[in-house]
Amino acid sequence: EAEVAQSPRYKITEKSQAVAFWCDPISGHATLYWYRQILGQGPELLVQFQDESVVDDSQLPKDRFSAERLKGVDSTLKIQPAELGDSAMYLCASSSDSSLLFFGPGTRLTVL
Amino acid sequence: GQSLEQPSEVTAVEGAIVQINCTYQTSGFYGLSWYQQHDGGAPTFLSYNALDGLEETGRFSSFLSRSDSYGYLLLQELQMKDSASYFCAVGNYGQNFVFGPGTRLSVLP
């Protein structure tokens, strides 16, 4: 069964360092999402791609976060510099229609 | 803006039936979906409603009333493994999905 792949699964970093997360969506899914989920809360959209184009990045803290999907397939989310408040689960998801999302296993980020 | 409301916690016993409600305010509404998330895991899709009415998938059913901006997830014959967080999510035109705050379900023996 096709799955969304993410790496790393866990990342521990010190504040002010740079971190990067990678996501490979289900083959053929044009829409890719990065969500951030703080413990005990619902996922919050950071950025949405349609193929290689950004559709929505209104909630992305652009002073420190960047995301790209250069060839319209896999994607990278970067944080530089990381802050204590960035500790969260970073979830990548992909979709082929408007009814459901397929999530990857997530990257658990801890900023010390 | 867009907002969704869900109860924060629900507790039930094995074999019981539980209903998790979701109310929403949004523009460009396309459909309402439900996701299950176990501790430490990723959300997994459970059910989707684009039209008014009830959708049944095994022990899980989901209901939508577009005129009331309301939906619910119904879990029957509860099992211990159903202990998890449940999220409603609104799908908008443009394949934009907004999630609710989640309901933590505890199933007791």
Side-chain angles (χ1 to χ4, degrees):
Chain A
E1 182 176 311
E3 295 180 340
V4 177
Q6 286 188 250
S7 67
R9 293 292 306 277
Y10 304 91
K11 179 70 177 178
I12 300 174
T13 190
E14 295 184 344
K15 62 180 181 179
S16 80
Q17 296 299 304
V19 293
F21 313 134
W22 176 80
C23 171
D24 191 13
I26 292 173
S27 178
H29 281 192
T31 313
L32 183 148
Y33 310 78
W34 284 101
Y35 283 87
R36 177 170 61 185
Q37 186 177 27
I38 295 169
L39 194 63
Q41 299 182 17
E44 295 180 308
L45 181 68
L46 291 174
V47 60
Q48 176 185 347
F49 289 93
Q50 181 71 25
D51 299 311
E52 68 277 7
S53 300
V54 173
V55 174
D56 184 354
D57 64 356
S58 57
Q59 300 304 309
L60 188 72
K62 298 181 187 62
D63 57 334
R64 297 186 300 108
F65 286 64
S66 64
E68 60 183 17
R69 193 184 183 197
L70 293 177
K71 297 183 179 179
V73 181
D74 60 339
S75 175
T76 302
L77 178 70
K78 297 179 181 178
I79 308 175
Q80 182 174 16
E83 296 181 353
L84 296 177
D86 296 332
S87 293
M89 175 79 88
Y90 290 83
L91 294 162
C92 179
S94 68
S95 175
S96 61
D97 60 37
S98 298
S99 64
L100 78 152
L101 294 173
F102 294 89
F103 282 91
T107 297
R108 170 73 66 187
L109 174 66
T110 301
V111 182
L112 303 175
Chain B
Q2 303 180 79
S3 66
L4 294 89
E5 291 187 5
Q6 304 178 234
S8 58
E9 293 183 10
V10 173
T11 301
V13 297
E14 269 188 303
I17 300 173
V18 71
Q19 178 174 314
I20 300 174
N21 298 323
C22 174
T23 58
Y24 59 87
Q25 290 185 324
T26 186
S27 56
F29 177 85
Y30 199 84
L32 185 72
S33 51
W34 290 90
Y35 291 80
Q36 179 191 62
Q37 186 177 32
H38 287 99
D39 287 347
T44 57
F45 172 79
L46 289 177
S47 187
Y48 173 74
N49 296 71
L51 303 175
D52 286 359
L54 192 68
E55 292 285 339
E56 298 182 70
T57 310
R59 295 189 296 116
F60 295 170
S61 302
S62 58
F63 172 83
L64 174 65
S65 169
R66 295 172 69 113
S67 60
D68 294 325
S69 298
Y70 163 77
Y72 65 73
L73 178 70
L74 191 72
L75 297 86
Q76 303 182 69
E77 301 174 15
L78 280 176
Q79 302 175 10
M80 297 295 289
K81 67 178 182 179
D82 297 329
S83 293
S85 293
Y86 292 84
F87 297 91
C88 58
V90 166
N92 299 311
Y93 289 105
Q95 292 183 233
N96 181 284
F97 295 86
V98 179
F99 283 78
T103 298
R104 188 169 185 86
L105 172 64
S106 298
V107 180
L108 305 177

